[in-house]
Amino acid sequence: MQSYEMLKLENQLCFPLYATAKEVVRLYTPFLREVGLTYTQYIAMMVIWEKRSLVVKELGKLLFLDTGTLTPLLRKLEQKGFIQLSNLPEDRRSILINVTPEGMKLRDDAVEIPLKVGACVQMDSEDAKLLFELTHKLLNQITKGDASNA
Amino acid sequence: MQSYEMLKLENQLCFPLYATAKEVVRLYTPFLREVGLTYTQYIAMMVIWEKRSLVVKELGKLLFLDTGTLTPLLRKLEQKGFIQLSNLPEDRRSILINVTPEGMKLRDDAVEIPLKVGACVQMDSEDAKLLFELTHKLLNQITKGDASNA
DNA sequence: ATAAATTACATTGTACACAATGTAATGAGG
DNA sequence: CCTCATTACATTGTGTACAATGTAATTTAT
């Protein structure tokens, strides 16, 4: 009887984590739409803006996403003209991602987004820092010893 | 130039939140599969186990999910025999969800799941409590003043 | 009582997300 | 060199998630 307590939604840690992540992504949506990106495309572009050039496997490792998600996503980014996909000569199994000039121009439009979203949230910086650290800690804990990270 | 710093993945709070939630859900998957549920079906069943009987709108409000997600999900739970859907006589627009005896039996199989997942995580209870509180705080902040909550 | 607004849910279309499987290229061992 | 395991990505199928739209029932305002 007592053990059913652990099956109550209100006693779960996973649920507020799941729901909050979902609602935060939803907060981004209207701002991202203005620049023609989805949330997942946005975090992919963040990596691509910084690296300029990288391979799909590398991107997947950074975003914790597999090729079943990335393959169609990258094709959409290519269709929109933000990236260019090509074969890596050194290893013809790999796909190289390169940002285009339009892709870099997009960054100038996107640069306001973190501020705009931040303005909607009103979380004090101490809580934000704590939440940042705790989620990173948990993420590292979970994905450590993960075979897919080998 | 400096402002591009805010577009780095590593400086985002949203990303570890998004990735952690995703990976935590993934942790549940093998255990949930043993009892024939997906994660979303599981959190829905948690509410249904506790309430025994409730209307779709109520469930949606508790889970932060809309009918586009819930309608097909509830039909699958009905097909599996865990719930029964019917019209509410007092308001024929509403759909009433009732748990079946098999649905209640499922709870006995599911009762081990929080423990099994907890064993995979190794987060000390202080951090877990903090993370629980911070995500709840942020979730309330975001969904406050939300028209869809009216 | 009746037109108009609202509400509860259903449907459609787009986009993840991932397990499972497939395929071609690379690398390792003999 | 050749076989075999591994790797990087592609494909398929299932299941969310949600915006936008549709529909029928209820409520509100007149």
Side-chain angles (χ1 to χ4, degrees):
Chain A
M1 307 295 174
Q2 188 66 355
S3 55
Y4 290 147
E5 281 296 306
M6 297 189 65
L7 280 180
K8 284 189 179 174
L9 192 69
E10 61 185 6
N11 294 333
Q12 307 297 314
L13 173 55
C14 62
F15 177 68
L17 197 60
Y18 155 84
T20 305
K22 209 162 56 65
E23 294 304 314
V24 167
V25 168
R26 207 143 81 103
L27 263 186
Y28 277 86
T29 305
F31 302 114
L32 289 172
R33 172 178 259 181
E34 292 176 16
V35 301
L37 292 176
T38 65
Y39 180 75
T40 316
Q41 290 167 11
Y42 172 60
I43 59 174
M45 285 307 302
M46 278 192 206
V47 174
I48 295 167
W49 283 323
E50 197 179 344
K51 305 264 182 190
R52 249 79 164 186
S53 181
L54 79 168
V55 143
V56 172
K57 177 189 163 63
E58 221 181 320
L59 182 64
K61 198 166 176 176
L62 290 168
L63 298 182
F64 299 90
L65 291 172
D66 72 0
T67 81
T69 303
L70 288 176
T71 297
L73 183 144
L74 291 170
R75 286 191 186 143
K76 278 168 209 156
L77 287 177
E78 190 177 36
Q79 278 172 5
K80 294 179 195 187
F82 300 140
I83 62 170
Q84 240 248 299
L85 301 174
S86 57
N87 291 317
L88 189 69
E90 306 95 281
D91 185 342
R92 298 197 338 271
R93 292 169 303 178
S94 292
I95 300 290
L96 186 66
I97 306 162
N98 276 288
V99 68
T100 62
E102 297 99 279
M104 291 309 292
K105 252 186 279 175
L106 180 69
R107 188 161 72 154
D108 291 327
D109 298 331
V111 81
E112 299 290 335
I113 291 176
L115 294 170
K116 287 178 182 170
V117 173
C120 299
V121 172
Q122 302 290 16
M123 184 176 223
D124 65 67
S125 61
E126 201 156 320
D127 282 355
K129 194 185 166 206
L130 249 176
L131 185 53
F132 183 88
E133 288 166 358
L134 284 171
T135 48
H136 264 293
K137 196 170 172 182
L138 181 52
L139 184 59
N140 286 332
Q141 226 286 319
I142 293 175
T143 58
K144 191 151 301 180
D146 183 356
S148 70
N149 266 28
Chain B
M1 306 298 173
Q2 189 65 356
S3 55
Y4 290 145
E5 283 296 308
M6 298 189 65
L7 281 179
K8 284 189 180 174
L9 193 69
E10 61 186 8
N11 294 332
Q12 306 298 314
L13 172 55
C14 63
F15 177 68
L17 197 60
Y18 155 85
T20 305
K22 211 162 55 65
E23 294 304 315
V24 167
V25 167
R26 207 143 83 102
L27 263 186
Y28 277 85
T29 304
F31 302 115
L32 288 172
R33 173 179 258 182
E34 292 176 15
V35 301
L37 292 177
T38 64
Y39 180 77
T40 316
Q41 290 167 11
Y42 172 60
I43 59 174
M45 285 307 301
M46 278 193 206
V47 174
I48 295 167
W49 284 323
E50 197 180 343
K51 304 264 181 187
R52 252 77 165 184
S53 182
L54 81 167
V55 143
V56 172
K57 177 189 165 62
E58 221 180 321
L59 182 63
K61 197 166 177 176
L62 290 168
L63 299 182
F64 299 90
L65 292 172
D66 73 359
T67 82
T69 303
L70 289 177
T71 297
L73 184 146
L74 290 171
R75 284 190 187 143
K76 279 167 208 154
L77 287 176
E78 190 177 37
Q79 278 172 4
K80 295 179 193 185
F82 300 142
I83 62 170
Q84 239 247 300
L85 301 174
S86 58
N87 291 316
L88 189 69
E90 306 94 283
D91 184 341
R92 294 188 352 262
R93 292 168 305 177
S94 291
I95 300 289
L96 186 65
I97 306 162
N98 276 287
V99 69
T100 61
E102 297 100 277
M104 290 310 291
K105 253 186 278 176
L106 180 69
R107 186 160 71 155
D108 291 327
D109 298 331
V111 82
E112 300 290 334
I113 292 176
L115 293 170
K116 288 178 182 170
V117 173
C120 299
V121 173
Q122 301 292 17
M123 185 177 222
D124 65 68
S125 62
E126 201 157 318
D127 281 355
K129 194 185 166 204
L130 248 176
L131 186 53
F132 183 87
E133 287 166 358
L134 285 171
T135 49
H136 264 294
K137 196 171 171 181
L138 181 53
L139 184 58
N140 286 331
Q141 224 286 319
I142 292 174
T143 57
K144 192 152 297 181
D146 182 356
S148 72
N149 265 27

